[in-house]
Amino acid sequence: MTRLRVLLADDAVLVRAGLARLLIDEGFDIVAEVGDHDSLVAAGRQLRPHLVVTDIRMPPTNTHEGLRAAATLRGEQPDLAVLVLSQHVEPAAAALLLEHTATGVGYLLKERVGQIDEFVGACHTVAAGGSVIDAVVAEALLRRRRHRNALDRLTPAERNVLSLMAQGRTNAAIAREIFCSE
């Protein structure tokens, strides 16, 4: 049986080291441990791992660099499996991860992984082409979808009013803008 080649990406060195030790003990090959977007992309291109385990927020801006790097690598290597391991529930990030395909992807919350076997199993599942999504993340995705559907049902005029409200305009100012009474 081929050992899975894993690239770890997290800006916290202790998290990376802990994950590396855990996965090595479970029979995985850790090909690299990186802490930022550019290093993740470079290592992924050079080493061509089977699985990337990444945090979402990484330097330089600590927004979605881990996810963007993983998406870049997946665009170049469609068979690359990606498991996001984060402390943040970010429905937009999860939607981006699942946008093109739901195979070989996962999104787990660090604090909700209760057992080592659960995490190791998720790594195997994702690397084998399956998907593993934390229930809290899945719920946030569904809420986001329902919210988007509600906005999609608005008419252009209703969207315009909502946009003006979001800009902080008063009822009187909105009425003047769209030429109607309050």
Side-chain angles (χ1 to χ4, degrees):
M1 180 174 175
T2 303
R3 289 168 56 109
L4 287 175
R5 297 168 35 83
V6 180
L7 171 55
L8 295 175
D10 197 300
D11 59 325
V13 69
L14 290 176
V15 171
R16 284 195 319 263
L19 287 173
R21 175 57 33 219
L22 168 86
L23 291 174
I24 289 167
D25 289 350
E26 293 293 329
F28 292 81
D29 284 332
I30 305 304
V31 296
E33 301 172 39
V34 299
D36 62 71
H37 172 278
D38 294 343
S39 299
L40 175 52
V41 171
R45 286 175 173 158
Q46 178 185 3
L47 302 169
R48 302 190 65 83
H50 299 116
L51 172 66
V52 169
V53 177
T54 185
D55 194 358
I56 291 177
R57 296 182 182 182
M58 293 172 54
T61 67
N62 291 310
T63 55
H64 297 103
E65 281 85 354
L67 187 62
R68 283 200 310 268
T72 296
L73 291 170
R74 248 182 100 107
E76 298 168 1
Q77 304 169 44
D79 292 336
L80 176 65
V82 174
L83 176 58
V84 172
L85 184 62
S86 183
Q87 64 187 20
H88 305 284
V89 177
E90 304 212 17
L96 178 64
L97 181 66
L98 297 165
E99 185 174 275
H100 298 293
T101 180
T103 61
V105 296
Y107 189 137
L108 297 176
L109 297 174
K110 290 176 182 176
E111 72 274 3
R112 289 183 38 92
V113 176
Q115 301 289 324
I116 301 290
D117 291 346
E118 178 185 350
F119 175 69
V120 170
C123 288
H124 283 292
T125 297
V126 170
S131 60
V132 178
I133 308 295
D134 186 282
V136 171
V137 175
E139 183 180 315
L141 274 168
L142 291 173
R143 274 196 315 271
R144 180 177 185 265
R145 185 173 180 189
R146 281 192 299 264
H147 177 69
R148 182 187 299 156
N149 289 342
L151 291 176
D152 289 344
R153 290 191 301 263
L154 294 178
T155 67
E158 291 169 330
R159 282 180 191 263
N160 186 35
V161 171
L162 185 59
S163 173
L164 295 168
M165 290 170 56
Q167 294 170 25
R169 304 241 183 123
T170 65
N171 285 347
I174 293 171
R176 282 191 304 275
E177 176 81 22
I178 62 172
F179 305 105
C180 74
S181 65
E182 285 186 60

